[in-house]
Amino acid sequence: MSTNAPDPLAALGTLPGVGDAVDSVRKAVDRVYGHRVMRRRSNEVASEAALRGARGSAALSGADWALEEVRRRSDFGAENEAQIVGAALRLSAESGQLLSIWRQSPLRVLARLHLVAAGGVAPDAAVGRPRLTGETADEPLISAPLPDADEVAARLDGLSGLVIEGSSAPALVTAAVVHGELLALRPFASYNGLIARAAERIVLVGSGLDPKSICPAEVGHAELGRAAYAGAFDGYLSGTPEGMAAWIAHCGRAVELGVRESTAVCEALQRGAA
């Protein structure tokens, strides 16, 4: 980033409580990466984290299926909940393929994520592009007023600029802002929550905080519950220092719970139980 340009994300890292959340997340991630199972079986842990993350993200979007049901099913096109779970699984699989593109063209990645999530479900004309004037977004968990198309375009450009320029802010701060901004904008006609959480994952992995993608924040968001998620998001929408700090801390707690989930997977693999 230019030495003369402000770094708004870095300023968020100085808010009360945010530094503690960042440190706590870093220590938790380091612990699971140090687990002996990670030396030889990290790919298995990552695959399980992807599955559990997809299940958690789908649960927040209204399809709260048991993990074994998600694991067992092969048909995800029959009805609304199945479509949500299928979209979450596709996004989880696709996100890892987009890391190299994210820092150069985040808007291209977001368009791709919507195409992957909604292809074959939403009308073709609405897939892979932000909403146009007069179009609405289907995201039942988020009841905040929906920004119009012009505001969406302007704020997406701003978010893209922040990602491309880079920041000295901790990865947790950047991931929380990307997640919160996409929830606030709901730029696509459908699956915005799933896409926002997938983008959070991309930032956490691409930043180097979780390079093997074994710390599924989506699991933690689901475990904390829809009411807590929506309440913390209200803090982001408020734009106040207290609200922003609360949202970042909530995202940090979600990552820590994702770490706990993957630690349990490591323990199960070590025992031969998974």
Side-chain angles (χ1 to χ4, degrees):
M1 179 172 284
S2 168
T3 56
N4 296 320
D7 187 351
L9 298 183
L12 294 176
T14 67
L15 293 175
V18 170
D20 289 342
V22 168
D23 289 344
S24 185
V25 166
R26 177 77 267 174
K27 290 174 183 175
V29 172
D30 285 348
R31 282 194 300 272
V32 73
Y33 270 82
H35 197 287
R36 61 186 301 176
V37 165
M38 287 294 296
R39 297 174 197 166
R40 297 182 180 178
R41 305 182 71 177
S42 62
N43 288 343
E44 293 173 69
V45 180
S47 294
E48 191 65 20
L51 181 72
R52 295 181 186 215
R55 192 219 73 81
S57 194
L60 285 170
S61 287
D64 191 1
W65 287 14
L67 179 63
E68 292 312 314
E69 177 69 4
V70 177
R71 198 189 304 276
R72 180 187 67 81
R73 284 284 287 268
S74 58
D75 175 19
F76 296 101
E79 39 83 25
N80 184 56
E81 286 195 7
Q83 290 171 358
I84 291 170
V85 174
L89 287 167
R90 291 191 298 273
L91 286 173
S92 186
E94 185 74 10
S95 296
Q97 311 304 313
L98 301 172
L99 294 170
S100 63
I101 305 171
W102 173 254
R103 283 295 299 271
Q104 284 73 46
S105 184
L107 298 185
R108 180 180 163 197
V109 169
L110 293 174
R112 174 62 184 171
L113 290 175
H114 189 247
L115 179 65
V116 167
V121 177
D124 288 346
V127 172
R129 62 152 176 81
R131 291 182 288 109
L132 303 178
T133 300
E135 291 181 337
T136 60
D138 178 21
E139 189 58 44
L141 178 59
I142 305 302
S143 59
L146 192 66
D148 64 26
D150 289 341
E151 182 178 351
V152 167
R155 287 172 64 177
L156 280 178
D157 281 344
L159 182 65
S160 176
L162 287 176
V163 171
I164 292 169
E165 283 293 314
S167 172
S168 62
L172 173 65
V173 172
T174 302
V177 169
V178 167
H179 183 171
E181 189 69 357
L182 291 174
L183 272 187
L185 296 178
R186 283 148 287 161
F188 301 104
S190 56
Y191 298 120
N192 289 288
L194 296 180
I195 290 168
R197 293 183 288 275
E200 178 186 49
R201 171 72 77 90
I202 287 172
V203 173
L204 293 171
V205 174
S207 68
L209 176 65
D210 178 23
K212 295 183 182 294
S213 194
I214 61 164
C215 306
E218 306 96 319
V219 168
H221 285 303
E223 185 172 336
L224 290 166
R226 300 180 86 201
Y229 183 76
F233 174 63
D234 284 342
Y236 179 86
L237 283 178
S238 75
T240 65
E242 297 80 8
M244 294 296 292
W247 169 248
I248 294 167
H250 184 88
C251 291
R253 181 60 179 150
V255 175
E256 289 186 65
L257 290 171
V259 167
R260 187 176 72 179
E261 187 85 355
S262 285
T263 300
V265 171
C266 288
E267 295 293 332
L269 287 169
Q270 186 168 286
R271 295 191 306 269

